[in-house]
Amino acid sequence: MKVLVLNCGSSSLKADILDENGVRLGSLRAERLGSDDARYRLDGAVTELPGADHGAVLAHAMAGLVGDHQLDAVGHRVVHGGEAFSAPTRLDAQVEAAIEELIPLAPLHNPANLAGIRAAREFLPAIPHVAVFDTAFHATLPHRAQAYAIDHDVASAHGVRRYGFHGTSHAFVSRAAAEFLDEDPRELRVITCHLGNGASACAVEYGRSVETTMGMTPLEGLVMGTRCGDLDPGVVIALARELGLDEVDRMLNRSSGLAGLSGVGNDLRDIEERASKGDERCRMALHVLTHRLRKHIGALAAVMGGVDVLVFTAGIGENSALVRSRACQRMEFLGARLDRDANRDAKVDRATPVIEISEPRSRVKILVVATDEELEIARQACTVGLGQDQIAGGLPSIPIGISARHIHLTQESVEALFGPGHQLTPRNPLSQPGQFACEERLTVVGPKRRIEGVRILGPVRPANQIEVSRTDEFFLGVDAPVRNSGDVKNTPGVTLIGPAGQVTLSEGLICARRHIHMTPEDAAVFGVEDKDVVDVAIHSEGRDLVFGDVLVRVKASYALEMHIDTDEANAAEIKRGASGKMIDATGRVGRLVRRKAWR
Ligand code: ADP
């Protein structure tokens, strides 16, 4: 397997060819693109190319870079995937257009990413190109971590929410840390600190990003090379009045952070050197950087109710013993004890990518991990490049069952609605053994409207439950929460009308959470467990869709089938007899899938 990974900045271009072990088979670096000094370096040799842009460099250098290598895919780093992209995505004209639409959210990054994509697709039209988004790993942030506390309507209208960045690095190093510790990532709470020129920290709870320090743009959070990180929005307003918006934009992005604090630039090595000689501004820069970092580590630990592993990565995280030791000062209350000698001596590289720097008695493991974003992009590009069937590496397809709105009743309700002693009349068996659709139907009455002829499913249950789609609940005029079957506590009630009477329920209306029934044997084949949450890709005619948040339910009496409602089926134009493939989009489950596809 050979993948070309392309990472385009506004005036730079990095391209690497990697094999499945992460070995670099070729490397191209271009800088100062668009200027008279534009140049590129290919395998050591520098070529001046005045005025060249991304396309011109690729045109000039691509043949030399690729040589005889048979590439399987091209992975493109794309900084902002917005709401639209939560997984690596095969590029076509529509995906390009969607990335273009996201430019207002990442004006510095997405245009450069797109320039690289367009040029590379032109030069390598025959192989799959895949966009891998910095934001995708954070698609699992809960709503409370996504939201800014501003006017909800304004936020919705302008896509204002927290997205998070550096996702490929946070995903890569959190997994590498778990592998190093020989632990299952699904059982660890990890805080990953990616400290490069850009910096962000992430709470990776049981394999999923649940909080991160960057927000709608890569400006929020930690102190960075030239970016300010957290700032009272009042400062922006006050400065904008004085200096104008463009100047404030430039200042906060390009001359703040370490550069702004220290006055000597954004390279931490220089700042450490000068601080050690007594330079007050450089000392202050270090203090602000490490204080902010410690504050955020504490906050991320609080979000997860504790932490098991603390990871430092990227240029500063991998190299600065000083920053690591200051960040870990007085962390004993969290159970984190730094081994000062191990910290000072730690030097990660490709041969030794992970080093432990905590004391043996430290409950929290503190690790330095060498990140490899290119390898992560190559892996992700590779899985998508292989196509859906190969992603699943021969795993069975999962039949899809579409659940129309239906009702489960207690025996007591059956008798109240159909008369004393009434027994439900089976009409036809359902896919799950012992379950059946009944002849009986009811009218469901909501505050706004009613729906006639809703089918009852048998046998009777200990609690009444009415399962409707989002469209139905809107029609009825009631908000039904997304719940697992059987979990009806504190849900809204409705009135049911039958031929012999009516029943007004105090609870029971839900929008069923999508789920897969499977046996323990199936679970072993898929490499999942009961209550896992997985992604399932549906291949349909022109409306392919990946369903996230699919709950796995394992029981010996179940038959393998994924259940979705009519709204969900319509969204992907799923017909009867359709099936889906479990895929690995979050890195949390289905590692089996990735391993099969990659190795
Ligand atoms: P980018 O976000 O551009 O990929 P890097 O991950 O390469 O950034 O990190 C760049 C930062 O790492 C710079 O601030 C640099 O000073 C810092 N850095 C690199 N090596 C060292 C070192 N030995 N000691 C301290 N800081 C270092």
Side-chain angles (χ1 to χ4, degrees):
M1 193 68 61
K2 288 177 187 168
V3 179
L4 172 66
V5 175
L6 208 58
N7 180 354
C8 290
S10 54
S11 63
S12 69
L13 178 156
K14 295 185 199 170
D16 292 284
I17 299 175
L18 285 81
D19 73 5
E20 61 270 30
N21 299 313
V23 174
R24 268 65 175 169
L25 306 169
S27 167
L28 169 70
R29 296 285 179 271
E31 55 184 19
R32 300 178 205 168
L33 296 177
S35 81
D36 290 345
D37 294 333
R39 64 188 63 193
Y40 71 82
R41 186 159 44 82
L42 178 61
D43 298 331
V46 176
T47 304
E48 310 269 348
L49 213 57
D53 59 9
H54 298 85
V57 167
L58 288 179
H60 218 254
M62 190 63 97
L65 173 65
V66 176
D68 295 336
H69 296 303
Q70 294 290 321
L71 295 176
D72 295 280
V74 183
H76 295 268
R77 177 184 182 208
V78 180
V79 167
H80 218 306
E83 299 264 7
F85 300 104
S86 57
T89 305
R90 178 104 176 237
L91 281 152
D92 57 21
Q94 277 171 331
V95 175
E96 275 187 21
I99 294 171
E100 190 159 13
E101 274 176 32
L102 292 167
I103 286 176
L105 288 176
L108 298 177
H109 297 98
N110 275 28
N113 302 154
L114 261 181
I117 288 168
R118 289 186 169 137
R121 284 188 71 204
E122 206 179 309
F123 293 114
L124 296 166
I127 52 174
H129 289 247
V130 177
V132 178
F133 300 91
D134 272 25
T135 45
F137 183 59
H138 305 294
T140 50
L141 288 183
H143 289 300
R144 58 182 173 271
Q146 287 178 1
Y148 289 111
I150 64 167
D151 184 303
H152 177 79
D153 296 337
V154 174
S156 304
H158 297 277
V160 175
R161 46 155 275 202
R162 305 185 66 253
Y163 293 94
F165 298 87
H166 291 139
T168 46
S169 182
H170 292 300
F172 181 86
V173 298
S174 57
R175 244 191 3 257
E179 266 169 40
F180 173 82
L181 297 168
D182 204 16
E183 298 274 0
D184 186 334
R186 289 178 292 174
E187 291 173 3
L188 289 178
R189 293 163 301 176
V190 187
I191 295 176
T192 47
C193 304
H194 175 106
L195 311 175
N197 269 320
S200 71
C202 180
V204 187
E205 185 180 47
Y206 310 131
R208 291 157 75 96
S209 167
V210 295
E211 181 57 283
T212 186
T213 56
M214 280 180 170
M216 180 172 103
T217 73
L219 202 51
E220 189 180 339
L222 303 176
V223 174
M224 308 180 217
T226 61
R227 284 173 252 165
C228 58
D230 290 341
L231 195 69
D232 175 353
V235 174
V236 182
I237 296 165
L239 288 179
R241 286 203 179 108
E242 295 291 320
L243 307 175
L245 207 49
D246 289 343
E247 171 55 13
V248 177
D249 184 359
R250 188 206 62 75
M251 191 189 92
L252 299 183
N253 276 293
R254 299 190 191 278
S255 62
S256 297
L258 286 177
L261 285 164
S262 71
V264 301
N266 63 342
D267 194 313
L268 187 78
R269 284 163 292 201
D270 297 340
I271 294 169
E272 285 189 6
E273 164 90 24
R274 285 171 186 248
S276 71
K277 292 182 179 144
D279 184 309
E280 276 308 322
R281 280 186 64 178
C282 289
R283 283 185 172 185
M284 177 58 100
L286 278 171
H287 279 307
V288 179
L289 173 91
T290 50
H291 167 78
R292 178 91 54 89
L293 178 56
R294 214 164 54 229
K295 179 167 122 179
H296 275 287
I297 290 171
L300 296 175
V303 165
M304 296 191 286
V307 52
D308 304 307
V309 189
L310 177 60
V311 173
F312 291 96
T313 192
I316 294 173
E318 291 170 30
N319 293 298
S320 176
L322 182 80
V323 167
R324 291 192 303 252
S325 79
R326 293 208 182 171
C328 292
Q329 261 170 24
R330 293 184 288 138
M331 281 281 171
E332 290 78 12
F333 76 98
L334 266 183
R337 294 173 179 276
L338 188 75
D339 180 327
R340 304 214 160 262
D341 293 337
N343 180 48
R344 197 187 48 240
D345 297 341
K347 189 84 204 90
V348 286
D349 53 25
R350 293 219 190 282
T352 315
V354 185
I355 293 177
E356 184 173 345
I357 54 169
S358 41
E359 287 182 5
R361 65 183 170 139
S362 176
R363 193 190 59 71
V364 175
K365 299 289 173 206
I366 311 175
L367 305 178
V368 182
V369 180
T371 192
D372 193 340
E373 290 168 278
E374 289 79 24
L375 178 56
E376 181 68 19
I377 291 171
R379 282 176 172 167
Q380 295 196 16
C382 190
T383 50
V384 177
L386 284 169
Q388 298 295 355
D389 287 342
Q390 282 154 289
I391 289 174
L395 289 177
S397 295
I398 302 169
I400 308 283
I402 304 165
S403 305
R405 62 181 84 99
H406 62 268
I407 300 170
H408 300 281
L409 292 177
T410 62
Q411 181 58 31
E412 191 191 347
S413 299
V414 170
E415 297 193 18
L417 292 157
F418 295 97
H422 186 88
Q423 296 290 318
L424 290 174
T425 321
R427 179 175 182 260
N428 57 278
L430 299 174
S431 59
Q432 296 308 310
Q435 306 286 306
F436 52 88
C438 303
E439 291 293 352
E440 289 86 351
R441 303 207 219 180
L442 294 171
T443 298
V444 178
V445 185
K448 230 199 245 168
R449 298 191 194 88
R450 59 177 59 202
I451 302 177
E452 316 258 357
V454 182
R455 177 112 21 223
I456 300 172
L457 303 189
V460 290
R461 290 193 173 184
N464 298 300
Q465 180 171 305
I466 299 95
E467 298 182 34
V468 296
S469 69
R470 282 269 177 262
T471 305
D472 289 339
E473 68 171 53
F474 188 76
F475 187 81
L476 291 168
V478 58
D479 286 331
V482 175
R483 287 283 180 88
N484 299 333
S485 184
D487 177 14
V488 293
K489 204 158 181 279
N490 295 325
T491 58
V494 281
T495 297
L496 303 176
I497 302 177
Q502 70 177 53
V503 173
T504 296
L505 303 172
S506 60
E507 59 181 21
L509 187 77
I510 66 167
C511 187
R513 184 172 181 186
R514 42 187 173 252
H515 56 272
I516 307 173
H517 293 275
M518 61 172 75
T519 63
E521 290 73 24
D522 293 327
V525 170
F526 285 104
V528 296
E529 292 169 8
D530 190 38
K531 298 198 180 65
D532 270 337
V533 177
V534 300
D535 290 351
V536 175
I538 309 289
H539 187 58
S540 74
E541 284 310 312
R543 294 198 89 187
D544 285 2
L545 192 67
V546 175
F547 284 110
D549 295 323
V550 185
L551 181 75
V552 173
R553 296 173 59 185
V554 182
K555 212 184 232 181
S557 61
Y558 284 159
L560 181 65
E561 192 171 58
M562 170 161 154
H563 287 177
I564 56 177
D565 69 23
T566 44
D567 278 357
E568 292 167 315
N570 288 340
E573 297 203 7
I574 294 171
K575 308 276 179 326
R576 264 181 204 294
S579 63
K581 290 277 191 187
M582 197 182 294
I583 60 163
D584 176 17
T586 64
R588 181 179 178 219
V589 287
R591 282 178 303 135
L592 177 70
V593 175
R594 171 174 290 169
R595 224 178 282 140
K596 283 198 172 176
W598 177 249
R599 296 212 169 109

